[in-house]
Amino acid sequence: MSSDRYPADLEISAQDFAECGWKGVLSGTIREGYSSMWQAFSAAAREAMEEGRQSHGKVLWLLADACSMTLLPKSINEPFKPIMVIEGKRSAIPDDLPDPEIVFFSQIVDGIDDPWLKARLADLVWLKQQPRDVNFALIAVDNYRAIPLDTETWVRGGDKCWQRAISLSLMLKVGAGERLQEMESSIVAVLSGATAQDGFLCHWLADLLYENSLGWANQVEIAQKLEALAREFDEQGDVHRAREYYDSASRWYKKASDEAKTAEMTVAVAESWVKEAVVRVSSDNPSHMVAASFYENAIQVYRTIPRSERAVYRVDDRLEELRQHLNESGDKSLDEMKVIKSPSMDISELVDNARKAVRGKDAVEALKVFANLHGGVNVEKVRESAIEKIRKHPMQAMFPATVMSRDGRVIAKRPGMSLGDTLNEDDEIVIRAEMIRDYGILVSIVVQGDIWPALEVLLLEHRLTEADFVHIARQSPIVPKEIGRAHV
């Protein structure tokens, strides 16, 4: 990959880094996390190469590669993945960086004053250099945590940077000194001062603490803050944010062993789904199908409330009311569905072959042929076919799907598919759903084209009685003989 952009044997130094203009590249870039840095360094590298500044170009290409990697902050062994994988080709990963380039990064880290870039290069050195030098891990932690804790920065990659700082500190244990405690205090302080104008920031910070077992000394304070913002969003009619905050508050109250408040927050979560269902059916573009899914979500949430707390909130009565609403919306949702027809299939040849297979034979032979009209399916081939179809037509598999019965009840749900190179748990669910769908279509064809036509001929030419089938069953070694005699 590097040989396509600069000579493989091109040597670079810290002086080349100092003169390549990296500061100007960053200062002239709208900062949107590492992706914008990657694009800016890539453009600058191409320009340097076109101008004949090969050493500067290589430096800028290396910085671009370093910034292009996607951070998986909780992974110990593989915290960086390629940002793009297309038709077997991918962008850079740490293993693409040979030892001399890692040494180069270690030499320039101290001269960098941008926390995003300094943290990324120090992290790569810590990951790749042998033997490891803990100082680079500490440099990474200190610069990751120097990134602001605000909503705009968080959604542009700040969340992963802070998680990486915490993960490295947990990995280093006592070697990280007081850094973990200092980060915990910083997060709690920002969380406590967050307002509704910060959107989801307080919720995100609470999750960061919870997932890393931090903030336990402030459990009640955090839960109360989350509840206060949830009620504020609720009053503003922002049902989505209110629900997320109620749910987070429920988790923190549960952690604080306050069962009454946990149940109260859980009820609020369930009722937020009900509010959304009511809004959906009373809007200018009503959808009972969507409302039905919201009512179902409310029912599922109510079911999580412990028996000891249900009487306070009339949970059982409320569940009955919601089931009625669900049934009503389910019935009405059928009218909203549209029929999508596929091209018709000519199975007349299949029908003729099935009839010919059993026609003119004695009863036993005809029954034997009938039983073997279809030999079943190969599961692996069905799976391969389903995956091939999904890859060929990905749009249908990308979005979650809901299956409804003829009376409007939701009988199955499946998630959307990631369509990545590595199949995850949700992908397997999608594949299995597609396999079942394909198998259902096959069964329908086999019944209509093989079984039913052959059965008509079989019944027309032979009179098969219960005794005939008992006689056949008695020939099987797995059928007890006394059972067979009892039915003769």
Side-chain angles (χ1 to χ4, degrees):
M1 179 174 61
S2 59
S3 60
D4 297 336
R5 301 177 300 184
Y6 50 80
D9 57 352
L10 180 61
E11 295 184 0
I12 52 177
S13 64
Q15 185 67 24
D16 293 320
F17 170 71
E19 297 174 352
C20 74
W22 67 272
K23 283 191 176 183
V25 173
L26 292 180
S27 63
T29 303
I30 298 176
R31 300 300 289 271
E32 296 182 350
Y34 285 111
S35 62
S36 63
M37 295 168 65
W38 163 47
Q39 294 170 16
F41 280 132
S42 297
R46 292 189 190 94
E47 183 178 344
M49 285 300 183
E50 290 171 359
E51 295 172 354
R53 297 184 291 117
Q54 289 194 336
S55 295
H56 295 168
K58 179 175 180 178
V59 171
L60 293 168
W61 272 124
L62 290 177
L63 297 180
D65 287 345
C67 293
S68 74
M69 302 176 195
T70 296
L71 180 59
L72 304 178
K74 291 187 177 182
S75 176
I76 296 176
N77 297 320
E78 294 185 299
F80 296 103
K81 291 289 186 181
I83 194 171
M84 291 189 304
V85 179
I86 302 175
E87 296 182 351
K89 298 180 180 180
R90 58 166 174 74
S91 56
I93 60 173
D95 289 342
D96 293 332
L97 299 171
D99 292 342
E101 293 174 358
I102 294 298
V103 171
F104 172 71
F105 283 163
S106 70
Q107 294 170 345
I108 66 174
V109 163
D110 288 340
I112 299 174
D113 56 6
D114 183 273
W116 291 80
L117 184 59
K118 190 166 187 172
R120 174 57 60 91
L121 298 189
D123 204 350
L124 287 170
V125 174
W126 158 251
L127 181 69
K128 290 283 294 177
Q129 192 176 62
Q130 294 296 332
R132 280 184 164 181
D133 185 344
V134 71
N135 289 319
F136 287 104
L138 296 177
I139 291 172
V141 170
D142 289 339
N143 283 273
Y144 279 136
R145 66 181 178 140
I147 292 171
L149 282 173
D150 58 56
T151 304
E152 184 176 358
T153 307
W154 189 267
V155 299
R156 291 177 175 173
D159 57 337
K160 293 181 178 179
C161 293
W162 273 83
Q163 178 58 66
R164 181 61 176 164
I166 292 173
S167 297
L168 284 171
S169 297
L170 290 171
M171 186 191 311
L172 297 174
K173 298 181 180 179
V174 295
E178 301 296 319
R179 287 172 174 80
L180 190 62
Q181 291 78 10
E182 291 168 1
M183 284 188 283
E184 180 182 37
S185 298
S186 297
I187 296 168
V188 170
V190 174
L191 183 154
S192 300
T195 66
Q197 283 66 43
D198 294 313
F200 280 111
L201 182 63
C202 181
H203 169 65
W204 292 331
L205 294 178
D207 279 353
L208 180 66
L209 292 171
Y210 194 95
E211 290 168 4
N212 290 282
S213 300
L214 300 174
W216 292 163
N218 306 90
Q219 292 169 1
V220 176
E221 174 191 340
I222 293 171
Q224 291 174 342
K225 178 67 178 183
L226 291 166
E227 180 185 355
L229 285 174
R231 297 196 183 283
E232 186 172 348
F233 284 124
D234 211 352
E235 291 173 1
Q236 295 172 2
D238 192 338
V239 180
H240 178 56
R241 281 200 177 106
R243 179 166 56 247
E244 294 297 324
Y245 272 91
Y246 280 132
D247 186 51
S248 188
S250 174
R251 287 209 301 170
W252 280 93
Y253 276 126
K254 186 174 182 179
K255 191 67 184 176
S257 300
D258 191 334
E259 295 183 1
K261 291 298 290 185
T262 300
E264 182 183 345
M265 295 298 99
T266 304
V267 169
V269 172
E271 289 302 321
S272 72
W273 285 113
V274 178
K275 290 177 184 177
E276 203 158 1
V278 172
V279 169
R280 197 68 182 87
V281 296
S282 58
S283 66
D284 295 335
N285 184 27
S287 174
H288 290 281
M289 187 183 303
V290 174
S293 69
F294 290 160
Y295 282 127
E296 184 186 5
N297 289 339
I299 290 171
Q300 295 300 331
V301 173
Y302 263 119
R303 285 174 176 168
T304 65
I305 298 177
R307 288 286 177 187
S308 59
E309 299 293 332
R310 289 194 172 191
V312 177
Y313 300 99
R314 295 179 49 254
V315 171
D316 293 336
D317 293 339
R318 188 56 172 153
L319 281 171
E320 186 58 34
E321 294 170 0
L322 293 176
R323 288 191 189 99
Q324 292 177 6
H325 290 311
L326 175 61
N327 292 337
E328 291 172 5
S329 291
D331 288 339
K332 293 177 181 178
S333 68
L334 295 177
D335 296 330
E336 299 172 352
M337 294 185 177
K338 299 186 183 301
V339 177
I340 300 176
K341 294 183 178 180
S342 60
S344 59
M345 180 185 297
D346 185 359
I347 60 171
S348 57
E349 185 177 351
L350 194 64
V351 170
D352 289 341
N353 290 336
R355 288 171 175 166
K356 290 176 182 177
V358 296
R359 183 177 289 133
K361 295 179 172 61
D362 62 62
V364 174
E365 184 63 23
L367 192 59
K368 181 179 178 181
V369 172
F370 178 75
N372 290 280
L373 281 173
H374 184 66
V377 296
N378 184 302
V379 176
E380 286 303 318
K381 289 185 177 180
V382 174
R383 175 182 169 82
E384 291 171 6
S385 175
I387 294 175
E388 182 181 354
K389 188 191 304 181
I390 290 170
R391 297 290 186 191
K392 190 174 181 180
H393 306 285
M395 291 299 293
Q396 187 174 355
M398 286 175 61
F399 303 100
T402 299
V403 180
M404 304 181 74
S405 64
R406 293 183 181 276
D407 60 358
R409 291 178 297 110
V410 174
I411 56 176
K413 287 185 176 182
R414 69 154 178 78
M417 191 167 184
S418 66
L419 301 177
D421 283 354
T422 303
L423 298 175
N424 58 34
E425 187 175 346
D426 283 351
D427 292 342
E428 292 294 344
I429 294 174
V430 177
I431 292 170
R432 183 169 180 79
E434 188 66 21
M435 290 170 65
I436 293 172
R437 178 176 173 274
D438 289 350
Y439 184 69
I441 295 173
L442 175 63
V443 168
S444 178
I445 294 172
V446 170
V447 170
Q448 297 295 326
D450 282 334
I451 296 177
W452 188 246
L455 181 60
E456 288 177 336
V457 173
L458 194 64
L459 295 175
L460 182 65
E461 295 186 351
H462 304 283
R463 178 176 174 271
L464 296 170
T465 65
E466 180 182 0
D468 294 322
F469 289 99
V470 171
H471 176 72
I472 293 172
R474 289 186 64 191
Q475 310 309 310
S476 172
I478 66 172
V479 177
K481 302 305 179 186
E482 59 274 12
I483 293 179
R485 286 193 294 270
H487 285 81
V488 173

